[in-house]
Amino acid sequence: MYKTMADDEGLSALEKRIAQLETSLNCLEAECASLRAIVDERERLVARLRRANEALLASALRERSLAEDASRRTAELDATLMSFAQGVVIYDQSGHIVRMNETARPLVSLLQPEIQHRLGEAGTSYHVQDSSGSEIPPERLPMARALRGEKVAGELLAILTPSGEPAWITISAAPIRTETDSCAGAVVTITDITALEELQRRREDLVHTISHDLRSPLTSIYGQGQLLQRMLAKMPNADDSLRSANAVVTSAKRMNAMIQDLVDSARLESSQLRMVRQPTDLGIFLADVLDRSRGVLEVERIVQEIPSELPALDIDQNRLERILTNLLSNALKYSSRDSEVVVRAERSGCEVAISVIDRGAGIAAEDLPRLFERFYRTSIVHKAEGLGLGLYITRMLVEAHGGRIWVESEVGKGSTFTFTMPALDEITLLVDKRSGDSYT
């Protein structure tokens, strides 16, 4: 009995011990679970920290790359600006200079005296004038206009310094637009053309010399040659002398034509040729030109195809006569004597297209692109006559009217020279007549 009780007590103690151990085990498992949670959280934090570090590193690398790229682009921009022969200036929205190259520095100091001290220039007052001689206030300068959103292209300005010597420049300006179309600044280009203006002045002096000083003795030679012609024509057995006198007169005419070509080309290039436009009926005008050209041109070979319903032309009659005479004389010269030269006209929108068509030798394809260049001669011209300015002057006169000129040709079949002249709208002509204004 005592043994059974002892066994029961041992068993009970063992069960208590087991229970205690189970409780301890549960506590350990709970602590382990807590530790595992802590470890997992730590690993998550470490992973997040690693990702953050990687992101920061990538961002730093990107920023470094962007900084290097920005630095490279800035260096490229500065090198590009410095390489320009023209002055280049960049303004911000408030009108302060952000960048400019060395070429622009002295020119900007002339245009904007208020920034001379900042540019290291002496403070001096200058006057800026336009091509007509009118003074331009600072708010009308191209850079100020560009900051207001305007675009300025190739404006000619003269800067008058205290020495009295003008500095001539051409200036262009454009606003810098943002994505919202607001003005964020302006870019200005400036070109010093003082040397070109001086060359232009010298050319004008040369043209004056050619047109006056050279023509005076030439007029005397021409007059004396005509006098000799009349005297020798009345003398018997003077055929050889008469031929010599004829050669003198012909050469004097040719030289006078060359001088006129030089003068006209110089005046056209410098925009000094005055245009006196007036309404002109092409059919009547052409008939009159041909009638006055008898003896100079082979008028009997010329066929007119001018529709009666053509509108009046808005042209300078003297200049149109020169255009037609140049083209007709070439067509007659480079086509056979038994062939016709056709003058044809048709309306083309607000213009009239006039064509001179021959059936002559034609023009080689390689000559066509340069045909209207100054002093250019085609391969078909074997004997030089004149200076090679005829078609060049013709093109300049056509363009002075706002027209175009071109040629279509095939060797052995002939050529067609076509140019356009502005048509005078009937309504405009009616208004001019009613208002009583002089059209010329």
Side-chain angles (χ1 to χ4, degrees):
M1 179 177 179
Y2 289 110
K3 183 178 179 180
T4 303
M5 290 178 61
D7 291 340
D8 290 340
E9 289 176 358
L11 182 61
S12 175
L14 181 60
E15 289 176 349
K16 289 180 181 181
R17 182 60 178 165
I18 291 172
Q20 290 175 352
L21 290 173
E22 288 178 348
T23 301
S24 298
L25 180 60
N26 290 335
C27 289
L28 287 173
E29 289 178 348
E31 289 179 2
C32 286
S34 177
L35 288 173
R36 279 197 298 271
I38 292 172
V39 170
D40 291 343
E41 181 64 21
R42 178 179 176 277
E43 289 179 350
R44 284 194 296 272
L45 290 174
V46 169
R48 289 177 60 185
L49 182 60
R50 186 182 297 111
R51 288 194 297 270
N53 285 335
E54 291 174 352
L56 285 173
L57 180 60
S59 177
L61 291 174
R62 282 197 302 270
E63 289 181 1
R64 181 178 177 180
S65 176
L66 289 173
E68 291 176 350
D69 187 57
S71 177
R72 179 178 57 80
R73 288 179 180 274
T74 300
E76 288 175 353
L77 176 60
D78 289 339
T80 301
L81 292 179
M82 294 303 170
S83 69
F84 287 160
Q86 296 85 5
V88 182
V89 189
I90 302 175
Y91 293 85
D92 64 15
Q93 188 176 10
S94 60
H96 293 95
I97 294 177
V98 178
R99 273 188 175 79
M100 70 175 169
N101 59 7
E102 288 301 319
T103 306
R105 187 176 295 271
L107 299 175
V108 172
S109 69
L110 294 177
L111 282 169
Q112 296 176 278
E114 70 276 7
I115 65 168
Q116 287 169 349
H117 295 293
R118 181 154 55 89
L119 296 174
E121 303 287 345
T124 310
S125 178
Y126 300 97
H127 297 282
V128 182
Q129 297 180 347
D130 60 20
S131 57
S132 65
S134 301
E135 189 162 338
I136 299 178
E139 64 272 12
R140 292 301 302 163
L141 287 174
M143 56 278 290
R145 290 162 58 188
L147 289 171
R148 294 195 298 270
E150 297 182 43
K151 289 183 179 180
V152 182
E155 185 165 317
L156 178 64
L157 300 179
I159 305 171
L160 304 182
T161 62
S163 66
E165 291 296 325
W168 290 91
I169 64 171
T170 58
I171 183 167
S172 299
I176 301 172
R177 297 287 186 185
T178 64
E179 293 181 357
T180 59
D181 202 35
S182 61
C183 183
V187 177
V188 178
T189 60
I190 310 171
T191 305
D192 186 349
I193 60 167
T194 304
L196 291 177
E197 284 293 319
E198 175 62 20
L199 290 175
Q200 175 69 19
R201 186 187 63 78
R202 292 181 182 179
R203 183 171 69 171
E204 290 171 2
D205 292 342
L206 178 61
V207 169
H208 182 273
T209 300
I210 292 174
S211 61
H212 292 84
D213 298 350
L214 288 183
R215 274 182 171 163
S216 295
L218 183 61
T219 300
S220 177
I221 293 171
Y222 183 66
Q224 294 298 319
Q226 287 183 315
L227 179 61
L228 280 174
Q229 280 181 317
R230 290 192 293 270
M231 292 174 59
L232 293 171
K234 298 177 182 178
M235 296 175 60
N237 302 321
D239 293 345
D240 291 340
S241 298
L242 182 58
R243 280 194 294 272
S244 297
N246 290 339
V248 170
V249 172
T250 300
S251 297
K253 285 182 179 180
R254 185 175 298 169
M255 187 173 181
N256 185 65
M258 293 180 185
I259 292 173
Q260 188 61 48
D261 282 348
L262 283 173
V263 171
D264 286 348
S265 65
R267 286 175 176 169
L268 283 164
E269 290 168 357
S270 59
S271 301
Q272 291 183 347
L273 198 66
R274 183 171 177 265
M275 302 284 287
V276 182
R277 295 173 181 259
Q278 61 188 84
T280 302
D281 183 296
L282 179 59
I284 297 173
F285 176 77
L286 179 58
D288 179 63
V289 169
L290 295 181
D291 186 60
R292 288 186 283 105
S293 299
R294 294 185 185 277
V296 179
L297 299 177
E298 297 176 84
V299 176
E300 62 279 359
R301 291 176 52 196
I302 300 173
V303 177
Q304 302 179 54
E305 296 182 1
I306 312 296
S308 58
E309 65 273 12
L310 274 182
L313 302 181
D314 177 23
I315 52 94
D316 182 311
Q317 292 188 352
N318 290 332
R319 311 307 175 194
L320 179 57
E321 180 173 349
R322 181 74 182 278
I323 293 168
L324 289 170
T325 301
N326 282 352
L327 294 179
L328 287 171
S329 62
N330 282 345
L332 293 167
K333 183 189 303 182
Y334 298 113
S335 60
S336 62
R337 290 183 174 273
D338 59 351
S339 65
E340 294 179 340
V341 172
V342 179
V343 181
R344 183 177 297 156
E346 61 181 3
R347 182 162 191 167
S348 177
C350 58
E351 298 176 317
V352 172
I354 305 168
S355 299
V356 176
I357 307 164
D358 68 66
R359 297 291 177 265
I363 303 167
E366 60 268 21
D367 289 326
L368 293 177
R370 301 186 59 194
L371 196 61
F372 296 99
E373 292 182 7
R374 180 173 44 187
F375 304 123
Y376 185 73
R377 299 179 185 279
T378 65
S379 54
I380 199 173
V381 178
H382 301 295
K383 181 181 179 182
E385 295 183 8
L387 298 172
L389 288 171
L391 288 178
Y392 171 74
I393 292 173
T394 298
R395 174 175 67 85
M396 297 289 284
L397 290 172
V398 169
E399 291 176 351
H401 283 85
R404 299 163 292 119
I405 186 169
W406 65 94
V407 59
E408 298 169 337
S409 185
E410 188 174 347
V411 175
K413 294 186 177 181
S415 305
T416 299
F417 284 81
T418 304
F419 64 95
T420 61
M421 288 282 109
L424 188 64
D425 188 276
E426 294 179 2
I427 296 177
T428 303
L429 184 56
L430 182 60
V431 169
D432 288 337
K433 287 181 178 178
R434 287 179 177 176
S435 65
D437 292 339
S438 172
Y439 193 82
T440 60

